[in-house]
C-alpha cells in the first residue's frame, strides 16, 4: 500500500511515513460497529412505533386515534408518551457521553467502546422482554447509555488511528455503519411486522446483534497510540504506532504526539479549558456542526419516516417498504463520500448538500401544503414524488452533514481538549435529536407543512456557515490543526492573537516542523 506524503497549505512537504494497513482497516470496521448499534436503534424505533401490535399493547390511546376514520392527518400520531419512548434514549445518551468522555481520557478509547456494547446489550434484552412501559423505558435508558459511550469513543478512536490522508474516508465508516444499521432495522421491522403479536420483541431484541459484534470484535483491536501515550504507556504507544502504520520509521509522528501529550498534561481540567478563548473556534464549530446536522431535519425524516408515509395515506406495509427504499439511498451516498471526502474536502460537500437538501425539503413542504389537508389522503403520484424527494434529501445528507457531523468534531480539537470537546459536540447531537424527536409530532400537528419550511431556513444558514466559518481540515495531521488550520483562518485567528495559553498560562510549543 502507498506511503503517505503530506503537503500542507504552504507547500511544505510533511512526511509521516505510513501505510494504510490491514490493522487500521480492521480496527476501523470493528469500531464502526458502534455506528451499527446507533443506526439499528434509530431504524427500529421509527418502525416499531408504527406497528399496530406495539401501539395496542403499550400506547392504546394512540392506537385508537390512529384508527379513527376522521383523525386529523397531521395530528393522529401525536402523543407525549410515544414521543418520550423515542426520546428517552437521548437523555440517557447525554449522560453516557459525558461519563464516556472522562472514561475515554482516563481509561482509553477501547474500554469505553466495550462498556458501550455491554450497556447496549442490556438494553436490548430488557426491551425484548418488556412487559410494561416501565421496562420499555428502562431498556431505552440502557440503550441510550450505550450509544452515549459508543458515539463518544468510536469517532475519536478512528480519527486517531487513521493516517491523516485517509482520516476522512475511514472515519466515515462510522456513518456508513449507522446507515447500514438503519437499513437492517427496516428489513427486520418489515419481516416482524407480520409476526403477530410478538414481532416487535424480535425487532427490539435484535439490537443485541450489533452490540455483540462490537463486544467480541473489540477484544481484537488496538488502543490508539495517542491514548496510550496520554496515559504514560509510551513504549506500548510507540509499538502500536509502528504496528498500525506498517513502517518502523514512525519517529516524527511519535514525537509530535508526545509533544502534544506533554502540553496536554499541563491541562488538568479539560472541560474548564474548553471555555478559554483559544478553544472557542473548535468548540463553536464542533458544537454547531452537530446542531446543524440535526437542523437539516434528518431526525424528522429518519425517526418518523414510516409515520410520515402513513400520514400521507400509504398503508402500514407500504410505509415500511418506502422507508426501506429511502434507506438504501443513504449507505450508497455515504460510500460515495468515503471516496471523495479526502479529495474534494469537507466544505465542498457540506455546501453542495445544504443546497440540495434545501430544494428537496422545500418541495416536500410545498406538496404537503397544497395537497395534504387535515383528513384527506394525498394522491398516489404525489406520495411517490414525496418519496423521490426524500431520497434526494437523504443522499445529500448521507454524503455531507451526516458523516461530517461526526468526523469534523473528532479531528479539530487539540489533544488536551479532544475528548471533552468532542463530548460537548456529541451531546449537542443528542440534545437536538431529543428536541427534534420530542417536538416533531406536535410541530407537524400545529405547523403542518410549515415544519418543513422551518428546516429549509436552517439549511440556508448552514450553507453560509460552511462557506465562511468552517475551515478545511482535509489531509492535515490531527495534532497540527491549531497551527495549520485555526491560526490561519480569516475569522478564527483572532482567538490566538495575544497569547496561545493553556490552563496554566503555558505557551504551546510552536515547533511542529516536520522536515
Ligand atoms: C445522525 C442521526 C441520523 C442518522 C441517519 C446520524 O449521523 O446523527 O441523527 O438519524 O445519521 O443516517
Amino acid at each position: 500500500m502507498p506511503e503517505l506524503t503530506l503537503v500542507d497549505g504552504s507547500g511544505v512537504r510533511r512526511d509521516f511515513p505510513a501505510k494504510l494497513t490491514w490493522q487500521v482497516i480492521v480496527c476501523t470496521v470493528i469500531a464502526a460497529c458502534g455506528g451499527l448499534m446507533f443506526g439499528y436503534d434509530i431504524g427500529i424505533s421509527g418502525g416499531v412505533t408504527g406497528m399496530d401490535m406495539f401501539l395496542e399493547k403499550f400506547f392504546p390511546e394512540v392506537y385508537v386515534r390512529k384508527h379513527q376514520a376522521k383523525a386529523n392527518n397531521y395530528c393522529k400520531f401525536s402523543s407525549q408518551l410515544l414521543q418520550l419512548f423515542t426520546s428517552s434514549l437521548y437523555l440517557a445518551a447525554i449522560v453516557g457521553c459525558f461519563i464516556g468522555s472522562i472514561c475515554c481520557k482516563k481509561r482509553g478509547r477501547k474500554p469505553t467502546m466495550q462498556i458501550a456494547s455491554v450497556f447496549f446489550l442490556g438494553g436490548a434484552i430488557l426491551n425484548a422482554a418488556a412487559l410494561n412501559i416501565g421496562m420499555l423505558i428502562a431498556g431505552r435508558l440502557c440503550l441510550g447509555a450505550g450509544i452515549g459511550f459508543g458515539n463518544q469513543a468510536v469517532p475519536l478512536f478512528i480519527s486517531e488511528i487513521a493516517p491523516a490522508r485517509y482520516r476522512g474516508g475511514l472515519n466515515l465508516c462510522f456513518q456508513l455503519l449507522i446507515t447500514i444499521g438503519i437499513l437492517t432495522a427496516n428489513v427486520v421491522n418489515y419481516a416482524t411486522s407480520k409476526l403477530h403479536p410478538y414481532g416487535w420483541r424480535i425487532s427490539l431484541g435484535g439490537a443485541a446483534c450489533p452490540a455483540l459484534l462490537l463486544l467480541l470484535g473489540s477484544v481484537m483491536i488496538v488502543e490508539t497510540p495517542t491514548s496510550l501515550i496520554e496515559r504514560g504507556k509510551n513504549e506500548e504507544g510507540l509499538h502500536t504506532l509502528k504496528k498500525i502504520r506498517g513502517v518502523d520509521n514512525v519517529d516524527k509522528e511519535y514525537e509530535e504526539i508526545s509533544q502534544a501529550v506533554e502540553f496536554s498534561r499541563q491541562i488538568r481540567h479539560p472541560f474548564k479549558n474548553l471555555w478559554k478563548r483559544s478553544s472557542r473556534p473548535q468548540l463553536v464549530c464542533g458544537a454547531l456542526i452537530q446542531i446543524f446536522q440535526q437542523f437539516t431535519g434528518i431526525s424528522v425524516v429518519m425517526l418518523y419516516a414510516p409515520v410520515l408515509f402513513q400520514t400521507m395515506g400509504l398503508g402500514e406495509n407500504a410505509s415500511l417498504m418506502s422507508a426501506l427504499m429511502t434507506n438504501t439511498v443513504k449507505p450508497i451516498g455515504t460510500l460515495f463520500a468515503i471516496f471523495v471526502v479526502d479529495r474534494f474536502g469537507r466544505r465542498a460537500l457540506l455546501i453542495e448538500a445544504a443546497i440540495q437538501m434545501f430544494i428537496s425539503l422545500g418541495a416536500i413542504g410545498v406538496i404537503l401544503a397544497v395537497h395534504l389537508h387535515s383528513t384527506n389522503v394525498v394522491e398516489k403520484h404525489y406520495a411517490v414524488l414525496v418519496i423521490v424527494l426524500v431520497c434526494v434529501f437523504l443522499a445529500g445528507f448521507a454524503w455531507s452533514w451526516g458523516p461530517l457531523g461526526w468526523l469534523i468534531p473528532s479531528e479539530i480539537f487539540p489533544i488536551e481538549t479532544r475528548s471533552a470537546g468532542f463530548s460537548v459536540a456529541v451531546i449537542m447531537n443528542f440534545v437536538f435529536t431529543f428536541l427534534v424527536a420530542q417536538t416533531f409530532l406536535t410541530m407537524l400537528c400545529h405547523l403542518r407543512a410549515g415544519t418543513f419550511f422551518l428546516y429549509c431556513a436552517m439549511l440556508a444558514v448552514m450553507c453560509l456557515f460552511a462557506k465562511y466559518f468552517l475551515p478545511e481540515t482535509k489531509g492535515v495531521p490531527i495534532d497540527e490543526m491549531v497551527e495549520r488550520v485555526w491560526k490561519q483562518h480569516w475569522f478564527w485567528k483572532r482567538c490566538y492573537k495575544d497569547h496561545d495559553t493553556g490552563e496554566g498560562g503555558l505557551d504551546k510549543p510552536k515547533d511542529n516542523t516536520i522536515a
Side-chain angles (χ1 to χ4, degrees):
M1 296 209 191
E3 274 234 333
L4 304 184
T5 304
L6 304 175
V7 180
D8 73 12
S10 58
V12 178
R13 287 171 73 86
R14 292 166 185 271
D15 293 328
F16 277 166
K19 294 174 182 164
L20 182 57
T21 59
W22 281 111
Q23 265 97 347
V24 166
I25 295 174
V26 171
C27 288
T28 298
V29 173
I30 292 175
C33 286
L36 205 58
M37 301 193 314
F38 185 38
Y40 187 85
D41 182 81
I42 295 170
I44 280 296
S45 31
V48 165
T49 49
M51 284 184 196
D52 279 350
M53 54 184 152
F54 179 79
L55 289 179
E56 204 179 353
K57 185 164 172 66
F58 295 106
F59 304 94
E61 133 271 337
V62 183
Y63 175 77
V64 170
R65 219 170 332 134
K66 183 179 161 188
H67 289 275
Q68 271 166 5
K70 282 217 163 352
N72 185 322
N73 267 329
Y74 288 100
C75 303
K76 60 182 169 189
F77 292 100
S78 180
S79 152
Q80 288 300 325
L81 204 58
L82 183 59
Q83 287 181 144
L84 187 65
F85 167 76
T86 307
S87 342
S88 56
L89 177 134
Y90 291 96
L91 292 178
I94 291 167
V95 181
C97 180
F98 178 70
I99 302 172
S101 83
I102 298 168
C103 185
C104 253
K105 193 165 173 65
K106 298 236 150 85
R107 303 251 166 256
R109 291 34 170 158
K110 182 171 156 171
T112 312
M113 289 191 266
Q114 288 166 331
I115 297 174
S117 55
V118 171
F119 267 122
F120 205 78
L121 196 58
I125 295 170
L126 264 174
N127 266 354
L131 298 174
N132 48 42
I133 191 129
M135 270 179 93
L136 211 55
I137 304 250
R140 295 287 291 161
L141 294 178
C142 277
L143 293 174
I147 288 176
F149 272 77
N151 286 18
Q152 164 69 21
V154 173
L156 273 191
F157 173 86
I158 301 178
S159 281
E160 283 181 351
I161 60 163
R165 193 170 152 195
Y166 296 111
R167 190 177 58 239
L170 289 170
N171 190 293
L172 262 54
C173 291
F174 177 64
Q175 175 76 17
L176 181 66
L177 286 209
I178 294 180
T179 58
I180 292 177
I182 296 175
L183 178 61
T184 313
N186 284 157
V187 176
V188 173
N189 271 344
Y190 188 63
T192 60
S193 64
K194 295 178 174 56
L195 301 175
H196 286 272
Y198 57 85
W200 60 272
R201 290 192 192 276
I202 303 178
S203 285
L204 295 180
C209 299
L212 278 173
L213 274 178
L214 180 62
L215 186 62
L216 301 178
S218 66
V219 178
M220 290 191 280
I221 64 180
V222 296
E223 180 54 276
T224 74
T226 310
S227 174
L228 288 166
I229 298 168
E230 194 180 15
R231 286 174 297 122
K233 302 182 177 182
N234 293 29
E235 276 297 304
E236 208 180 326
L238 181 61
H239 175 74
T240 308
L241 194 59
K242 284 184 183 162
K243 199 161 99 184
I244 62 173
R245 294 289 175 255
V247 291
D248 280 335
N249 178 19
V250 293
D251 298 352
K252 286 170 194 155
E253 190 173 358
Y254 176 76
E255 208 172 290
E256 188 176 272
I257 299 175
S258 305
Q259 230 181 47
V261 164
E262 201 42 53
F263 176 71
S264 83
R265 293 237 161 84
Q266 285 134 23
I267 310 287
R268 264 168 300 128
H269 304 290
F271 277 102
K272 216 166 112 196
N273 217 62
L274 267 184
W275 308 113
K276 297 244 146 141
R277 194 156 170 237
S278 56
S279 298
R280 200 170 302 157
Q282 298 90 336
L283 187 66
V284 170
C285 289
L288 270 186
I289 198 152
Q290 279 284 17
I291 295 173
F292 284 159
Q293 187 205 58
Q294 290 310 310
F295 280 165
T296 55
I298 184 65
S299 294
V300 165
V301 181
M302 289 319 308
L303 293 170
Y304 297 106
V307 177
L308 184 72
F309 292 138
Q310 283 186 45
T311 299
M312 292 192 316
L314 301 173
E316 192 176 317
N317 260 353
S319 316
L320 283 175
M321 267 312 264
S322 347
L324 196 65
M325 210 175 72
T326 50
N327 279 320
T328 316
V329 172
K330 282 194 297 146
I332 299 173
T334 304
L335 253 182
F336 164 73
I338 286 179
F339 292 103
V340 300
V341 68
D342 291 311
R343 199 164 305 161
F344 298 162
R346 286 62 165 144
R347 287 175 66 238
L349 290 174
L350 292 172
I351 293 168
E352 183 281 331
I355 298 170
Q356 178 175 332
M357 289 190 284
F358 176 92
I359 295 171
S360 46
L361 219 50
I364 295 178
V366 170
I367 294 178
L368 295 189
V370 177
H371 298 283
L372 183 66
H373 311 296
S374 293
T375 51
N376 72 334
V377 166
V378 172
E379 281 169 53
K380 192 106 186 214
H381 53 275
Y382 284 119
V384 171
L385 186 58
V386 168
I387 294 176
V388 171
L389 288 166
V390 166
C391 288
V392 175
F393 171 87
L394 290 175
F397 178 86
W399 63 58
S400 62
W401 295 86
L404 300 180
W406 300 102
L407 167 64
I408 294 175
S410 78
E411 66 182 8
I412 54 176
F413 286 94
I415 173 79
E416 59 270 21
T417 48
R418 189 171 298 152
S419 185
F422 184 62
S423 76
V424 172
V426 178
I427 286 173
M428 286 301 132
N429 176 285
F430 295 144
V431 169
F432 281 83
T433 309
F434 171 79
L435 288 179
V436 169
Q438 196 66 23
T439 54
F440 170 64
L441 290 179
T442 317
M443 236 159 83
L444 190 65
C445 182
H446 295 288
L447 288 183
R448 304 174 163 219
T451 314
F452 295 89
F453 301 131
L454 206 67
Y455 287 110
C456 273
M458 286 316 303
L459 281 160
V461 174
M462 289 157 60
C463 189
L464 296 176
F465 163 77
K467 182 151 174 50
Y468 296 107
F469 295 100
L470 195 72
E472 182 55 64
T473 45
K474 83 165 175 186
V476 180
I478 193 164
D479 290 304
E480 289 185 15
M481 291 289 171
V482 172
E483 295 297 324
R484 285 177 51 188
V485 172
W486 299 106
K487 289 189 178 174
Q488 314 300 329
H489 189 266
W490 74 273
F491 181 77
W492 296 116
K493 67 180 175 201
R494 70 190 64 200
C495 295
Y496 301 95
K497 264 214 178 106
D498 313 328
H499 234 26
D500 181 21
T501 53
E503 193 178 46
L506 295 147
D507 273 327
K508 184 158 189 156
K510 287 234 158 44
D511 179 18
N512 60 346
T513 34
I514 296 163

